Amino acid sequence: MPGESRGHMRDVPDGVRGRMPDVPGEPRGRMPRALALSLVIGPACWLMPHQGAIATLLPQRIAAIDPEHKVTLVMMFSTVAMLVALVANIVLGACSDRTRTRFGKRKPWIVGCSVLSCLVLAAFARADGIPAMLAWWCLYELVVNGVASAMVAQLSDRVPAGWRGTLSSAYGLGQTIGGQAGTLVAAQFLGDVTLGVDVFAAVALAGGVVSALLAGERSNLDEPARPFSARDLASMVMFPTHGARDFYKTLAARFLLVVGGSMASNYMLYILLDYLRLGRADAQRLLSVNSAITLVIGLVCCLAAGPVTDRIGRPKLLVVCTTAMIAVGALVPFLCPTPGGLIAFSCIVGVASGANSSLVQTISVEVLPDASAAAKDLGVLNLANTLGGVGASLVAASVIGRFGYGAVFAAQAVIVLCSGALFLSIRRLR
């Protein structure tokens, strides 16, 4: 692969490269720049359509069809889609781990599922009625998890340990761009949801193909193929059981972090309209401003977090600090329910979330119990995102129903502090 470091990583099979420690006294080699760029473009281009649709365009479409039940329907879409993604991430990740082709084991899944994502999004944009929209959205969740599980596994497969924090920053940078730009772009299409989804479909296709080509993954036909049996089939969906205590602590911490971090964002359009009492035009402007602020701040902090982690080797300490920042930021709009308070919230949370995009990936790779099942086990950890998104909708809907929109921010602060406590209890990392 162009730009890939040599030295002690030479002749090590792709499936175990990411878990190989640096040899003491040896330089870590050059940073694999092409792979780093791929890890920016790839997650940005699968997450942008997903986040833009689920946080803005889908709620807008639902509100136009059934405004009376919009909160419940958004929760239902999240719940049903979660059940699909729950299985897809693990199973498709396990399939990727076992793939042997002249293009490698990740590239075929990234390219193929990106093409399918484009086609399914185009069909979703033209669906009439809630049932058809739900069916297409579930299919989209299936294929987009095929992209995500194969893409993130490259952090374990192909990144030298000495560059893992930096390339986790690259991946986190892509996630930050995708998540924030998705909301920012989607806000421009509130008046034409179909066109907005079509734009996102094109992004999903182009980004997946370009990312796979840049990564430069080579043939893995010489990698020993695992025997396939009924027992082996069952192992494809089994959760790790040996040496996995920190693994499951990370899963729980990530779950709570996603729940806390997504509670407000999942209902941000409704918060602006019904909590801050803004008109639609003002809400659209503030949504764009907040997304732009969070994006810029998040990019800077994400870029800094990885190299800092590689230098000081303290990802656990850093992530505990950033979760505390999110809690502080969430209290601002709770105590000051104004556009200014929401902008302050975006600034503070943008710093912490941007850094977490890198830190959480670094921790996740380090706590994997089995390098040969990296995609499957990272898929298990990614359940935190899937379940967390649903949990955020469920918790937020319950809080909104009982206490109103403002209480969402107080609940967010409590939940992310619990996440920080779990990260702090991980023993394998400092």
Side-chain angles (χ1 to χ4, degrees):
M1 183 189 76
E4 186 174 356
S5 60
R6 302 293 178 183
H8 76 281
M9 301 298 293
R10 183 174 58 249
D11 298 329
V12 179
D14 256 4
V16 298
R17 285 184 182 177
R19 303 293 294 158
M20 289 286 290
D22 287 341
V23 176
E26 267 195 38
R28 58 181 177 173
R30 293 179 300 165
M31 183 179 77
R33 292 185 178 87
L35 180 58
L37 182 57
S38 167
L39 290 174
V40 174
I41 294 173
C45 292
W46 77 254
L47 189 57
M48 184 188 301
H50 188 274
Q51 186 65 21
I54 201 168
T56 305
L57 297 183
L58 179 60
Q60 173 69 1
R61 184 78 174 272
I62 289 174
I65 295 173
D66 190 351
E68 184 178 352
H69 303 100
K70 60 185 181 182
V71 172
T72 302
L73 285 172
V74 169
M75 181 181 67
M76 182 192 73
F77 265 73
S78 297
T79 303
V80 175
M82 175 271 294
L83 296 174
V84 176
L86 187 75
V87 177
N89 208 285
I90 298 174
V91 173
L92 296 184
C95 291
S96 176
D97 287 331
R98 295 166 181 275
T99 298
R100 303 290 184 268
T101 74
R102 67 187 184 91
F103 303 106
K105 58 185 174 182
R106 310 303 181 194
K107 186 187 296 182
W109 291 92
I110 294 171
V111 172
C113 289
S114 294
V115 172
L116 291 174
S117 294
C118 175
L119 297 175
V120 172
L121 280 174
F124 168 78
R126 289 154 180 81
D128 292 325
I130 298 297
M133 289 170 57
L134 181 60
W136 283 114
W137 187 258
C138 288
L139 186 56
Y140 171 65
E141 288 284 355
L142 174 68
V143 296
V144 80
N145 276 281
V147 178
S149 61
M151 199 170 284
V152 71
Q154 295 176 109
L155 287 172
S156 176
D157 293 345
R158 310 180 62 215
V159 178
W163 288 110
R164 193 165 292 140
T166 300
L167 266 73
S168 291
S169 271
Y171 190 86
L173 177 64
Q175 289 186 308
T176 303
I177 293 172
Q180 299 305 321
T183 304
L184 180 63
V185 172
Q188 315 311 313
F189 293 100
L190 288 176
D192 192 344
V193 172
T194 299
L195 179 59
V197 176
D198 284 343
V199 169
F200 284 142
V203 169
L205 174 61
V209 173
V210 170
S211 173
L213 293 176
L214 277 173
E217 186 179 11
R218 297 173 179 173
S219 169
N220 70 331
L221 289 173
D222 59 345
E223 189 175 336
R226 296 188 188 182
F228 197 80
S229 63
R231 183 178 178 181
D232 206 49
L233 182 63
S235 73
M236 291 176 64
V237 294
M238 288 180 62
F239 286 18
T241 56
H242 299 291
R245 177 177 296 180
D246 286 340
F247 177 86
Y248 287 111
K249 287 181 179 179
T250 302
L251 175 62
R254 285 182 57 171
F255 169 74
L256 292 177
L257 188 60
V258 173
V259 170
S262 302
M263 285 176 64
S265 63
N266 282 359
Y267 290 93
M268 186 57 69
L269 182 61
Y270 302 158
I271 287 171
L272 296 175
L273 295 173
D274 300 335
Y275 179 53
L276 300 187
R277 304 292 182 186
L278 300 179
R280 185 164 297 278
D282 289 337
Q284 183 171 343
R285 281 194 292 270
L286 186 54
L287 189 63
S288 298
V289 168
N290 274 356
S291 298
I293 289 172
T294 308
L295 174 60
V296 172
I297 293 176
L299 292 179
V300 174
C301 294
C302 180
L303 282 172
V308 169
T309 302
D310 283 337
R311 181 169 293 275
I312 70 174
R314 303 292 294 270
K316 182 174 75 172
L317 174 63
L318 292 174
V319 82
V320 169
C321 292
T322 55
T323 52
M325 283 187 64
I326 294 174
V328 171
L331 293 177
V332 176
F334 174 69
L335 299 173
C336 182
T338 64
L342 202 64
I343 290 174
F345 164 78
S346 298
C347 292
I348 297 171
V349 173
V351 172
S353 298
N356 281 344
S357 297
S358 168
L359 297 171
V360 169
Q361 287 299 339
T362 302
I363 292 172
S364 297
V365 173
E366 293 297 336
V367 299
L368 290 179
D370 181 5
S372 66
K376 187 204 75 173
D377 289 345
L378 286 170
V380 173
L381 288 178
N382 199 51
L383 293 179
N385 296 337
T386 306
L387 296 174
V390 175
S393 294
L394 291 171
V395 174
S398 299
V399 170
I400 291 168
R402 293 195 63 181
F403 305 108
Y405 285 100
V408 168
F409 296 104
Q412 176 177 355
V414 173
I415 290 170
V416 296
L417 286 176
C418 293
S419 170
L422 278 168
F423 277 120
L424 185 61
S425 70
I426 294 173
R427 295 182 179 179
R428 190 179 301 184
L429 299 171
R430 293 188 296 162

